[in-house]
């Protein structure tokens, strides 16, 4: 059989990232732009495929997936305990959790994509994230912190030998054989994808020395200069794409004056001359002239979003752009490259996409959406006879202190706003050039909630400011006062990213590229950057944030965390049913909780929120995996496990905790 003509580019979203809610917008946006320029584009969301592969991974040879944990053969480890000794808790959790993945991995995947399952979907998504994190860490694909930049080569080498590296290289090899692209391009939005991408580049270059590899995306914009100067593995990349990727493929494949292809609009405006590597953001890119994203290669049913939505961008850059810690905003602001799409163009795209996809909820993917611009777009959508809902990231602008403005936002379709609250300490906000009034911000959250708009807020610590500890206390008090109004987006350490004003200030003071991560606070270490404080002070700030995840939890977040007690007086969430007084009560493990044995001792193990309980005497296991109790003490234990949301009752007339 004669092979077809092949493709021009294989565009890949690499592991490891938490972006599995819907197709990451860079892939459909670049697909549309490059296809419009006459190129043949093939997309692969390898990050999503990695999640599926981890959950479906078969156990190692000699270990049966259906074997009870207590019956598995395994070497004794120091501290695990010999025969007759009680197993160590950490080992118990690890073995039971892995057995649960082997047995229920496919079920977890199905539930994570089932928006009708409510609480079970939330549990499945969190379990999925935990298992991916464990696999990536085991295989050296997760970045430890703190770490000097010079260690990245060691991490790439170590990450090239595990299951993850083997799986990723084999999968890309198959795609390259099938589609025979002229170039392999990686879009790298997050630092957590950097080591896996360099690992895959290394392995593929060993197999295919002539393969041309390009990388781009926000992480490349920030770290390209440092990576090329200090990381030997950077040599496996042929093209580092700075600026807007929509115009880069033509330069890579055909050079600045490609015959037979119509130049993109931005090229027609600026003429043929340009220095590709130095163009940055001032490359003539015009947002309103870009085609609408092409979601054709993606099946939304494969993604785990709890809302049925599609992504879209209304802006590039940030109209404020002054926050000292924001590399993205600083770059665009300093380059005067901020743009907002024409409301008429956006409305035309949004209405067409909603009709084509059968989805009416839009996740605006901007780092910061101007709310007045959003209103203009939503009005244009309504003028076309469509009714869409919008979820956006935005600043807590002074307008939100006006209840009427919030009501107007909601009436035109805005149902969720994610925003950086950062801290309730005004002096710290001012030192960061946040341009936000803490009193207005607090009022804005109340007004949006009253209007029907959900707020998801981000909080920070790790400030090189004398009021840092005081700011932490003030912020905790704000969350506790408004627990029913607030939602939680992230809690993270302040880091200095390349391109930010904070990074430049730090380099003038100290130089060097010693990195800290948000390990323990965010998936795959979260934001990574230069340390602002010494190691003890950084760790102190991390511990304050970890305490916040227990002390200052909004009601919306608390209702999805079985490891936390419900706040007294919280509305909208029913407590688990009290224990029946009669004997013979039956209970079953909640979804995400394993009932398993290690060394003949039976445990309840919550694989999502690491918790365990040992089954006491008097609690009997039935053949179908239920628990029963006759004597009062055992029934009391069952009741406590229901209250802790490890078990749910299966007695007629009793309320279920799920």
């Amino acid at each position: 059989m004669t092979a077809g003509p092949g493709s021009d580019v294989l565009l890949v979203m690499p592991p490891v990232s938490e972006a599995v809610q819907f197709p990451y917008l860079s892939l459909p946006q670049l697909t549309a732009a490059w296809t419009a320029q006459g190129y043949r584009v093939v997309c692969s969301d390898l990050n999503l495929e990695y999640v599926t592969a981890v959950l479906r991974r078969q156990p190692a040879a000699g270990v049966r997936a259906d074997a009870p944990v207590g019956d598995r053969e395994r070497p004794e480890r120091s501290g695990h305990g010999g025969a007759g000794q009680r197993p160590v808790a950490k080992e118990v959790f690890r073995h039971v959790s892995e057995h649960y993945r082997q047995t229920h991995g496919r079920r977890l995947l199905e539930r994570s994509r089932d928006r009708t399952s409510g609480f079970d979907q939330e549990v499945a998504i969190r379990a999925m994230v935990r298992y991916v994190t464990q696999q990536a860490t085991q295989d050296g694909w997760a970045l430890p912190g703190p770490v000097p930049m010079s260690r990245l080569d060691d991490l790439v080498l170590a990450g090239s030998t595990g299951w993850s590296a083997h799986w990723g290289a084999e999968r890309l090899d198959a795609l390259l054989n099938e589609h025979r692209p002229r170039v392999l391009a990686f879009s790298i939005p997050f630092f957590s994808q950097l080591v896996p991408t360099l690992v895959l580049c290394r392995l593929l270059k060993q197999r295919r020395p002539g393969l041309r590899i390009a990388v781009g995306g926000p992480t490349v914009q920030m770290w390209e200069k440092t990576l090329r100067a200090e990381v030997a593995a950077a040599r496996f990349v042929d093209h580092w794409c700075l600026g807007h990727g929509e115009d880069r493929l033509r330069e890579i494949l055909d050079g600045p004056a490609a015959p037979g292809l119509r130049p993109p609009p931005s090229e027609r405006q600026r003429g043929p001359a340009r220095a590709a590597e130095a163009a940055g953001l001032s490359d003539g890119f015009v947002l309103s002239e870009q085609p609408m994203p092409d979601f054709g290669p993606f099946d939304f049913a494969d993604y785990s979003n709890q809302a049925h939505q599609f992504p879209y961008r209304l802006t590039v850059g940030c109209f404020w752009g002054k926050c000292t810690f924001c590399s993205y905003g600083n770059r665009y602001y300093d380059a005067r490259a901020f743009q907002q799409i024409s409301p008429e163009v956006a409305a035309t795209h949004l209405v067409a996409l909603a009709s084509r996809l059968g989805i009416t909820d839009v996740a605006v993917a901007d780092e910061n959406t101007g709310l007045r611009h959003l209103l203009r777009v939503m009005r244009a959508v309504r003028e076309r006879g469509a009714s869409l809902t919008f979820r956006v990231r935005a600043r807590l602008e002074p307008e939100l202190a006006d209840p009427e403005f919030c009501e107007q936002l909601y009436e035109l379709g805005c149902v969720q706003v994610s925003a950086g609250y950062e801290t309730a300490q005004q002096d710290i906000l001012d030192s960061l050039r946040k341009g936000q009034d803490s009193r207005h911000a607090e009022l804005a959250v109340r007004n949006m909630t009253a209007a029907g708009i959900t707020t998801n807020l981000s909080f920070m610590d790790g400030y090189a400011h004398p009021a840092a500890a005081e700011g932490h206390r003030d912020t905790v008090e704000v969350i506790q006062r408004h627990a029913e109004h607030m939602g939680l987006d992230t809690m993270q350490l302040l880091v200095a990213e390349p391109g930010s004003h904070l990074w430049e200030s730090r380099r003038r003071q100290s130089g060097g590229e010693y990195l800290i991560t948000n390990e323990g606070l965010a998936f795959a270490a979260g934001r990574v950057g230069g340390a602002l404080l010494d190691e003890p002070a950084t760790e102190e700030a991390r511990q304050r944030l970890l305490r916040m995840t227990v002390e200052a939890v909004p009601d919306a977040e608390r209702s999805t965390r079985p490891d936390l007690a419900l706040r007294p007086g919280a509305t909208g969430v029913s407590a688990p049913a009290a224990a029946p007084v009669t004997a013979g009560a039956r209970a079953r493990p909640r979804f995400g909780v394993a009932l398993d044995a290690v060394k003949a001792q039976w445990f309840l193990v919550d694989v999502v929120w690491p918790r365990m309980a040992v089954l006491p005497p008097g609690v009997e296991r039935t053949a179908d995996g239920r628990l029963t109790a006759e004597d009062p003490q055992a029934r009391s234990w069952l009741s406590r496990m229901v209250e802790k949301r490890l078990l749910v009752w299966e007695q007629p007339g009793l309320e279920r905790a799920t």
Side-chain angles (χ1 to χ4, degrees):
M1 180 176 177
T2 303
S7 62
D8 291 305
V9 58
L10 172 61
L11 176 61
V12 174
M13 174 73 167
V16 178
S17 161
E18 200 174 6
V20 292
Q21 290 76 37
F22 40 68
Y24 195 80
L25 190 55
S26 64
L27 267 65
Q29 199 69 63
L30 291 173
T31 297
W34 292 346
T35 300
Q37 295 171 34
Y39 294 104
R40 294 158 297 180
V41 184
V42 176
C43 279
S44 173
D45 193 336
L46 203 67
N47 180 57
L48 183 69
E49 291 190 35
Y50 179 73
V51 172
T52 301
V54 168
L55 268 293
R56 292 182 173 179
R57 184 187 176 192
Q58 294 300 308
V63 178
R64 300 197 331 266
D66 59 346
V69 176
D71 294 341
R72 297 185 201 172
E73 294 183 3
R74 63 174 183 273
E76 295 295 343
R77 297 187 178 187
S78 176
H80 192 289
Q85 293 182 325
R86 186 169 179 173
V88 175
K90 184 177 181 180
E91 289 291 292
V92 170
F93 181 87
R94 183 176 67 83
H95 283 291
V96 173
S97 176
E98 174 60 13
H99 187 218
Y100 192 89
R101 183 199 63 78
Q102 293 172 15
T103 308
H104 299 293
R106 291 178 182 270
R107 184 182 176 209
L108 287 169
L109 279 172
E110 292 169 358
R111 291 291 179 89
S112 73
R113 297 162 184 173
D114 180 4
R115 289 184 301 277
T116 67
S117 63
F119 181 78
D120 280 9
Q121 187 189 15
E122 174 75 22
V123 170
I125 291 173
R126 291 181 184 269
M128 183 175 68
V129 169
R130 179 170 289 278
Y131 283 123
V132 168
T133 301
Q134 290 173 351
Q135 188 67 58
T137 301
Q138 176 181 320
D139 292 342
W141 277 21
L143 186 72
V147 58
M149 199 72 174
S150 59
R151 275 204 59 212
L152 281 189
D153 279 315
D154 295 336
L155 297 177
V156 170
L157 187 61
S160 298
T161 59
W163 173 87
S164 295
H166 176 78
W167 173 87
E170 289 297 315
R171 179 64 182 130
L172 280 176
D173 221 24
L175 289 169
L176 291 168
N177 286 333
E178 179 181 359
H179 300 290
R180 294 180 295 110
R182 296 166 64 191
V183 64
L184 169 63
F186 290 98
S187 178
I188 311 176
F190 306 106
F191 200 100
S192 60
Q193 297 167 297
L194 189 56
V195 168
T197 299
L198 291 177
V199 165
L200 294 174
C201 290
R202 176 179 182 270
L203 295 176
L204 289 172
K205 280 287 191 178
Q206 290 173 349
R207 299 181 183 191
R208 302 167 178 260
L211 177 66
R212 297 171 66 186
I213 300 177
V215 296
T219 294
V220 171
Q221 313 304 312
M222 283 189 283
W223 293 99
E224 173 263 348
K225 183 178 180 180
T226 303
L227 288 169
R228 296 180 73 176
E230 300 190 20
V231 179
R235 72 183 186 276
F236 299 116
V237 175
D238 300 291
H239 305 279
W240 297 80
C241 301
L242 305 181
H244 300 93
E246 283 81 351
D247 287 354
R248 291 301 190 212
L249 185 61
R250 185 176 62 82
E251 295 172 353
I252 293 172
L253 293 180
D254 302 297
L261 284 176
R262 183 169 180 262
S266 55
E267 188 71 21
R268 296 199 301 272
Q269 288 182 358
R270 68 176 179 265
R274 74 177 283 175
E277 293 296 333
L281 298 169
S282 302
D283 58 4
F285 174 86
V286 180
L287 179 59
S288 292
E289 294 182 353
Q290 302 305 313
M292 68 182 185
D294 179 2
F295 293 106
F298 307 96
D299 185 348
F300 279 77
D302 291 337
Y303 293 83
S304 62
N305 204 314
Q306 291 174 287
H308 194 37
Q309 57 188 193
F310 65 90
Y312 188 78
R313 64 180 175 182
L314 298 179
T315 69
V316 291
C318 173
F319 68 85
W320 177 254
K322 301 175 186 177
C323 301
T324 60
F325 56 84
C326 182
S327 170
Y328 178 84
N330 296 164
R331 289 198 311 271
Y332 274 88
Y333 184 82
D334 294 343
R336 299 297 185 265
F338 168 71
Q339 294 184 50
Q340 295 183 143
I341 195 170
S342 160
E344 298 302 315
V345 171
T348 300
H349 288 176
L350 289 166
V351 172
L353 287 169
S355 176
R356 183 176 303 176
L357 299 172
I359 301 174
T360 59
D361 195 21
V362 183
V364 179
D366 309 342
E367 283 292 315
N368 179 28
T369 301
L371 295 177
R372 293 193 178 278
H373 181 58
L374 178 66
L375 287 178
R376 291 191 289 270
V377 172
M378 293 192 293
R379 289 192 186 103
V381 168
R382 290 290 176 89
E383 288 170 0
R384 285 160 173 73
S387 180
L388 305 180
T389 53
F390 294 80
R391 301 161 194 266
V392 304
R393 292 194 63 84
R395 287 168 54 81
L396 293 173
E397 293 293 331
E399 293 92 334
L400 294 171
D402 178 2
E404 291 185 4
F405 184 84
C406 297
E407 291 168 3
Q408 189 178 20
L409 273 177
Y410 180 74
E411 289 168 1
L412 284 170
C414 182
V415 295
Q416 181 175 298
V417 171
S418 298
Y421 200 99
E422 322 308 4
T423 176
Q425 173 56 247
Q426 188 65 49
D427 287 347
I428 297 177
L429 292 174
D430 293 343
S431 73
L432 299 173
R433 299 177 65 190
K434 180 73 178 178
Q436 179 172 298
D437 187 306
S438 60
R439 294 167 301 176
H440 283 172
E442 190 172 349
L443 183 57
V445 172
R446 293 182 61 184
N447 287 342
M448 284 191 285
T449 304
I453 300 172
T454 299
T455 61
N456 288 331
L457 306 175
S458 297
F459 303 95
M460 279 188 178
D461 206 327
Y463 307 107
H465 192 283
E470 181 183 349
H472 168 78
R473 291 193 298 269
D474 292 346
T475 304
V476 168
E477 289 175 3
V478 167
I479 300 173
Q480 291 174 341
R481 278 202 306 271
H482 301 290
E484 71 276 22
H485 299 142
M486 291 182 167
L488 179 62
D489 190 358
T490 59
M491 292 181 180
Q492 58 189 336
L493 285 170
L494 180 67
V495 299
E497 294 177 324
S500 69
H501 297 161
L502 214 53
W503 174 268
E504 294 305 317
S505 173
R506 171 187 170 275
R507 283 176 63 84
R508 285 194 297 270
Q509 295 171 7
S510 62
E513 318 297 349
Y514 203 85
L515 307 179
I516 60 169
T517 76
N518 273 275
E519 187 178 12
L521 296 168
F523 175 81
R527 293 177 69 229
V528 174
L532 299 175
L533 306 170
D534 60 28
E535 190 169 343
T538 298
E539 187 56 31
E540 183 179 343
R542 188 192 306 274
Q543 291 304 317
R544 285 199 297 261
L545 287 171
L546 289 171
R547 290 199 303 272
M548 280 181 69
T549 63
V550 177
E551 298 170 355
V553 182
D555 288 350
E557 173 80 2
R558 189 175 291 271
S559 67
T560 66
R561 289 185 54 177
D563 62 317
L564 296 180
L566 300 177
R567 185 177 61 87
T571 58
V573 181
S574 57
V581 295
T582 57
R586 285 172 55 91
R588 61 175 174 82
R590 174 185 55 75
F591 180 64
V593 175
L595 174 61
D596 215 333
V598 176
K599 289 185 175 294
Q601 176 68 66
W602 284 86
F603 295 86
L604 283 176
V605 176
D606 188 338
V607 302
V608 179
W609 299 102
R611 303 178 295 157
M612 294 193 307
V614 181
L615 266 64
V619 175
E620 301 294 333
R621 291 172 289 103
T622 65
D624 59 358
R626 272 51 176 174
L627 299 175
T628 65
E630 297 294 333
D631 66 80
Q633 187 173 359
R635 294 204 307 270
S636 176
W637 182 86
L638 287 181
S639 178
R640 290 197 305 274
M641 296 303 102
V642 170
E643 291 171 0
K644 292 180 179 293
R645 292 188 278 183
L646 287 165
L647 297 176
V648 292
W649 292 118
E650 285 206 339
Q651 187 99 345
L654 288 176
E655 181 183 2
R656 294 193 177 195
T658 55

